[in-house]
Amino acid sequence: MKRQNHSVITEFILIGFSNLGDLQIFLFFIFLLVYLTTLTANATIMSVIRLDRALHTPMYFFLFILSCSETCYTLVIVPKMLTNLLSTIPSISFSGCVAQLYFFVGLACTNCFLIAVMGYDRYVAICNPLNYTIIVSKATCIQLVLASGLCGFLISVVVNILVFSVPFCASNRINHFFCDISPVIKLGCTDTNLKEMAIFFLSILVLLVPFVLIFISYVFIVSTILKISSAEGQRKAFATCASHLTVVIVHYGCASFIYLRPTSLYSSDNDLLVAVTYTVITPLLNPLVYTLRNKEVKTALRKVLSRYSFPKMV
């Protein structure tokens, strides 16, 4: 019977924006503009890092991977959301929902681990600069990136099994604009408390543990910076961490608000707003923060633009 009930639903209706009426057209153009800007900004960051040898360092290698991951992350959510904003019936197939949740969770977890790895990179660079190139070698960077991706997608497999092993026999209307964990699992017609508890502990592993490690790293970083005698040296040291700290606060703050609490506290209106922030706004924030607040990236960007935009006349 459970298998039969589970097979009843072949598609889900995403009703997150359905009550907005004509405002959906306005949101479509706003989100499309933000999405295109995000793609352009991340592509610019990746191109500048790839083309300027001065940025061929571990810090910018991790930023390159993060920008690539964020681009894929938006591809999983935003195009379907834009299509549904113009659709009479904003739907997604059952298999499409499974795939969307898998890649969304996998890439989101990967990003969390990558941001923690970037914190470790800053810790070694400031607290142990003499051994930095030895500790954070090219091989180590590749291993850390692969480990982040592997752990992220393994966790996503577990989450998908927990969510979609629930029989859906009551409703196929998801009160969200994409297939997120809580809105989907709430449609189950059996007791999901144990599954929700398991997902909650996985959320702690993905969000709280890396955040605590980042916090500890910055305790040591601040302690080391305060020991620098010159004010200019302190300013430069803090400047190298400012962009990363901004991303940490926004990324972990939004994700923790959604996932580090029981499903019973799910509030559709507030959570939709936060979900828009971490699926649409945050991927744009990363390249903007690292471009506007980072002197090396701005210098490299000017060099690349002058090299390729204004060829010398013969």
Side-chain angles (χ1 to χ4, degrees):
M1 282 299 293
K2 286 186 177 181
R3 180 177 294 180
Q4 184 179 0
N5 287 340
H6 185 78
S7 64
V8 169
I9 292 179
T10 59
E11 69 173 6
F12 293 102
I13 309 299
L14 301 167
I15 62 172
F17 295 133
S18 297
N19 62 339
L20 297 179
D22 294 338
L23 190 59
Q24 291 184 72
I25 304 298
F26 174 73
L27 287 178
F28 170 83
F29 287 107
I30 294 296
F31 290 155
L32 177 62
L33 177 62
V34 173
Y35 179 56
L36 294 176
T37 306
T38 299
L39 293 180
T40 303
N42 277 300
T44 300
I45 283 285
M46 289 187 286
S47 299
V48 169
I49 293 173
R50 178 69 180 85
L51 295 171
D52 195 296
R53 295 187 63 84
L55 300 184
H56 291 184
T57 64
M59 173 181 171
Y60 294 108
F61 170 74
F62 293 132
L63 178 57
F64 180 95
I65 299 298
L66 181 63
S67 293
C68 182
S69 180
E70 290 280 20
T71 301
C72 296
Y73 175 83
T74 58
L75 287 170
V76 172
I77 304 296
V78 181
K80 184 62 179 176
M81 179 186 69
L82 292 173
T83 302
N84 283 338
L85 280 170
L86 299 179
S87 176
T88 306
I89 303 176
S91 62
I92 185 170
S93 66
F94 186 89
S95 58
C97 188
V98 173
Q100 187 180 62
L101 184 63
Y102 170 72
F103 285 106
F104 166 71
V105 173
L107 289 167
C109 292
T110 299
N111 291 345
C112 285
F113 296 140
L114 282 174
I115 292 171
V117 167
M118 293 171 77
Y120 171 71
D121 171 71
R122 291 299 81 208
Y123 162 74
V124 177
I126 292 174
C127 298
N128 198 357
L130 296 179
N131 295 319
Y132 176 67
T133 55
I134 299 174
I135 297 173
V136 192
S137 63
K138 184 177 181 180
T140 301
C141 291
I142 294 173
Q143 290 168 3
L144 288 171
V145 168
L146 291 177
S148 298
L150 180 62
C151 291
F153 280 94
L154 282 177
I155 290 171
S156 183
V157 169
V158 176
V159 170
N160 261 38
I161 291 173
L162 290 171
V163 172
F164 291 104
S165 61
V166 174
F168 302 105
C169 53
S171 172
N172 69 334
R173 297 169 67 84
I174 298 176
N175 193 14
H176 214 316
F177 59 88
F178 72 97
C179 291
D180 203 356
I181 298 170
S182 293
V184 174
I185 203 169
K186 284 179 69 176
L187 299 181
C189 54
T190 58
D191 184 18
T192 60
N193 285 334
L194 286 178
K195 296 177 185 291
E196 290 176 32
M197 189 175 297
I199 292 171
F200 178 73
F201 283 116
L202 285 174
S203 300
I204 291 176
L205 175 65
V206 172
L207 292 170
L208 202 56
V209 172
F211 182 78
V212 169
L213 293 176
I214 292 172
F215 178 79
I216 293 172
S217 296
Y218 272 99
V219 169
F220 287 105
I221 287 171
V222 171
S223 176
T224 301
I225 291 175
L226 292 178
K227 293 176 183 177
I228 298 175
S229 56
S230 68
E232 180 65 16
Q234 290 184 353
R235 188 191 64 78
K236 287 183 178 179
F238 276 121
T240 61
C241 300
S243 301
H244 180 254
L245 267 178
T246 304
V247 172
V248 167
I249 292 169
V250 175
H251 186 94
Y252 284 96
C254 291
S256 298
F257 179 83
I258 297 292
Y259 299 108
L260 291 183
R261 57 178 181 163
T263 307
S264 57
L265 297 180
Y266 179 80
S267 171
S268 58
D269 293 336
N270 292 335
D271 289 357
L272 278 176
L273 182 61
V274 177
V276 167
T277 301
Y278 69 75
T279 56
V280 180
I281 307 300
T282 301
L284 174 61
L285 175 70
N286 293 346
L288 289 182
V289 165
Y290 276 99
T291 303
L292 297 176
R293 296 183 63 92
N294 191 298
K295 184 177 179 180
E296 289 179 322
V297 174
K298 287 191 287 187
T299 301
L301 180 59
R302 283 193 292 267
K303 285 168 58 179
V304 171
L305 289 176
S306 64
R307 188 189 311 165
Y308 291 97
S309 298
F310 306 102
K312 294 181 179 180
M313 298 295 292
V314 178

